[in-house]
Amino acid sequence: MDKITPTREDAYQLLTEYNKSDSLIKHALTVEAVMLHFAELFNEEDPEKWRVIGLIHDLDFEMYPDEHCKKTEEILNKRNWPEDYIHAVVSHGWQLCYNVEPVERMEKVLYTIDELTGLIAATALMRPSKSILDTEVKSVKKKWKQKGFAAGVNREVIEDGANLLGMDLEQIMAETIKAMQKAADSIGLKGNI
Ligand SMILES: [Fe+2]
Ligand SMILES: [Fe+2]
């Protein structure tokens, strides 16, 4: 079978076929929004590809958490997804659960922002507004330093990612917040604003 060029619609359908958890779907939508934002920021040629990769990156996590990335690779291969899409998706597990290094800029962004979105969302939910709309970089930086806060968020991975990208962590935080603000409604972070 020939490889397909997956559209956003294909990716969303596949995502919801394998995932029923509201929080996982919201995480996927969050990462999608951030990937799209960075593609536009960098004037990338194919922003659709970036968002598709973001949306599908944790495809197997609900059903196969112990084989994370490996199962996604199998599923996407069966669905005739192109090699470069699959490489991009599985490289977000580098140093965590899968031995494929992020090489392309798209892969480095995914690697960096995946965990970061978790820290930012947790920071937003601590605010009186419970909203991403009034969440600022300085609050996220404060929470970054409190190792016990959102302790599951791997700060080292985010730092490694920023180094791979050659970008300042603060700038990455600011752009990630902006992206999440644009998607506030669909990712459930509008709060009471
Ligand atoms: Fe993951
Ligand atoms: Fe993820």
Side-chain angles (χ1 to χ4, degrees):
M1 274 273 281
D2 286 342
K3 299 289 181 195
I4 60 161
T5 302
T7 61
R8 197 267 172 190
E9 196 46 45
D10 296 331
Y12 188 75
Q13 272 195 14
L14 188 55
L15 173 76
T16 49
E17 192 182 318
Y18 279 84
N19 292 274
K20 306 297 167 205
S21 139
D22 186 55
S23 65
L24 282 176
I25 291 174
K26 285 209 174 86
H27 171 66
L29 292 171
T30 303
V31 174
E32 174 196 19
V34 178
M35 291 298 284
L36 180 61
H37 178 85
F38 274 86
E40 288 169 355
L41 184 73
F42 295 143
N43 264 321
E44 289 286 337
E45 252 169 50
D46 195 355
E48 175 93 355
K49 181 177 178 183
W50 284 57
R51 73 188 296 190
V52 161
I53 303 284
L55 193 57
I56 211 71
H57 81 285
D58 277 338
L59 177 66
D60 60 10
F61 197 70
E62 183 172 318
M63 290 176 74
Y64 310 99
D66 298 334
E67 294 174 277
H68 184 37
C69 293
K70 184 174 170 278
K71 274 285 169 187
T72 300
E73 184 171 35
E74 278 176 35
I75 298 162
L76 295 184
N77 259 319
K78 265 192 216 135
R79 305 286 176 124
N80 297 305
W81 279 48
E83 277 305 314
D84 56 332
Y85 282 66
I86 297 175
H87 188 281
V89 165
V90 300
S91 69
H92 89 270
W94 186 53
Q95 300 192 110
L96 298 166
C97 60
Y98 214 64
N99 197 19
V100 172
E101 197 176 337
V103 182
E104 300 293 329
R105 179 144 72 169
M106 177 180 52
E107 299 173 342
K108 294 173 183 173
V109 173
L110 175 63
Y111 185 74
T112 311
I113 59 91
D114 185 20
E115 297 273 316
L116 180 60
T117 56
L119 181 71
I120 295 174
T123 305
L125 289 172
M126 288 302 288
R127 304 183 63 70
S129 64
K130 299 204 180 327
S131 177
I132 186 69
L133 298 176
D134 64 357
T135 299
E136 295 176 4
V137 172
K138 66 172 194 294
S139 320
V140 177
K141 279 176 69 184
K142 216 196 248 170
K143 296 295 184 196
W144 171 283
K145 287 187 201 130
Q146 299 170 10
K147 300 294 174 204
F149 179 82
V153 171
N154 190 328
R155 275 97 164 146
E156 267 173 41
V157 160
I158 301 171
E159 263 170 356
D160 284 353
N163 287 334
L164 285 176
L165 272 172
M167 269 177 93
D168 182 51
L169 184 56
E170 236 179 278
Q171 192 197 350
I172 295 172
M173 283 177 178
E175 295 300 338
T176 305
I177 292 171
K178 264 192 237 167
M180 290 171 70
Q181 286 172 341
K182 285 191 269 179
D185 224 354
S186 63
I187 64 176
L189 283 179
K190 227 171 140 241
N192 51 34
I193 288 182

